[in-house]
Amino acid sequence: MTMGATDVASDLQDSCEISSIAMLISLSFVGLVVAFFGYRLYRTFLALLGFVFFSAIEGAFGLFWIQQATGADVQKKLVVLLCCLVWGVLGALFCVRHAERLQRKLGFMLGVVFGIVLVCGTIYAVKEDVDAQLGHHYKGWDIFALSTFGLPIGLMCGYLLRSRFRPALMLATALGGAALAVRPLAAVLAPGGCLGAEGFGAGAGQKAQAAIVAALAALAFCVQLCTDPERRRGGRKAAAEAPGGAPKPAAQPEVTLFPGDA
């Protein structure tokens, strides 16, 4: 999702129409919503998320097929649209029916994705400086570094989050939403963009964008964690089970020395 939004932002950066600016700002708004309310969206719109996810996968395959050759574009788009609807409905039914079982496996998968994205963000932040120091003789070092460190760090994060689906989903949505929010705004405000600002180019470099994404993701994760409704319900349930913060001691039976005292 993030990479697709980045490509859209890059394509729209050269166009300064109102619709293009509105599209970029809308992408940023969607990114903020995902970053700060990702887990709530999952709990509330599980079927809708399943529909969007599976239909988006089918749409990506369909777009690749359409781009292979020109001609009969309308017919091919109708076929792709129909297949997207079918995939979306099946995905929604699948997610609702197997939600609990999916959560046990998605914790590991989301951890792997989070680790790989973390490595990608780090490489993206230092790429300009490393390229300047190494020169063109080491071109492609970033791909090698990603393949070398991405999978081990991803597997490590997946292992740590394998049984922690909620924090894994919060981390993934916070980081992905933050990237989706920052990149379109950077495309709009960059000197070559639609609303180019003087002096913004140096501050909107790769390192600065990565720092902004990291800070926004950390803030969004903290907000999601602190406003988690299930965490609140768990705290209230524990307080209800132990009034006053500690259980009352069991009553001791009264002992009488003489039967006549009772």
Side-chain angles (χ1 to χ4, degrees):
M1 180 180 68
T2 304
M3 293 303 296
T6 302
D7 295 338
V8 171
S10 300
D11 293 339
L12 294 177
Q13 185 174 357
D14 297 331
S15 177
C16 292
E17 297 179 357
I18 298 299
S19 59
S20 300
I21 299 176
M23 172 66 81
L24 292 172
I25 295 176
S26 299
L27 286 173
S28 295
F29 178 75
V30 171
L32 289 175
V33 172
V34 171
F36 284 92
F37 304 101
Y39 184 71
R40 283 178 176 266
L41 291 174
Y42 165 79
R43 296 292 299 176
T44 307
F45 304 104
L46 178 59
L48 179 61
L49 289 175
F51 179 89
V52 172
F53 179 74
F54 280 88
S55 62
I57 293 177
E58 178 64 8
F61 290 138
L63 182 61
F64 177 78
W65 171 46
I66 292 174
Q67 291 176 344
Q68 296 305 303
T70 58
D73 290 342
V74 176
Q75 292 84 347
K76 289 189 289 187
K77 289 178 180 178
L78 289 176
V79 172
V80 171
L81 178 60
L82 179 61
C83 293
C84 287
L85 291 176
V86 174
W87 269 57
V89 172
L90 294 177
L93 295 175
F94 177 80
C95 289
V96 172
R97 184 177 181 84
H98 302 282
E100 296 298 330
R101 189 179 302 174
L102 285 173
Q103 288 181 8
R104 291 193 291 267
K105 298 179 180 179
L106 282 176
F108 177 80
M109 295 176 61
L110 288 172
V112 172
V113 172
F114 173 77
I116 294 176
V117 171
L118 192 63
V119 174
C120 289
T122 304
I123 294 175
Y124 179 81
V126 303
K127 187 176 185 304
E128 289 183 343
D129 294 337
V130 175
D131 284 342
Q133 293 181 2
L134 296 180
H136 68 279
H137 298 291
Y138 292 88
K139 183 180 180 180
W141 68 267
D142 50 337
I143 305 299
F144 177 75
L146 176 61
S147 60
T148 302
F149 299 105
L151 184 59
I153 294 179
L155 291 176
M156 182 184 67
C157 293
Y159 177 79
L160 294 176
L161 298 172
R162 67 191 185 281
S163 58
R164 298 175 177 85
F165 171 74
R166 275 191 296 167
L169 182 61
M170 290 178 183
L171 281 171
T173 54
L175 185 58
L180 179 60
V182 171
R183 183 64 182 90
L185 284 182
V188 172
L189 298 176
C194 299
L195 302 178
E198 292 295 333
F200 188 81
Q206 294 181 354
K207 187 182 298 185
Q209 288 186 40
I212 295 172
V213 168
L216 183 60
L219 176 62
F221 175 73
C222 292
V223 170
Q224 288 197 57
L225 193 63
C226 294
T227 59
D228 180 15
E230 295 184 11
R231 184 168 175 264
R232 289 182 174 182
R233 279 197 299 269
R236 286 197 295 264
K237 183 178 180 181
E241 292 176 351
K248 293 182 178 180
Q252 297 295 330
E254 184 179 355
V255 179
T256 56
L257 297 178
F258 301 99
D261 295 340

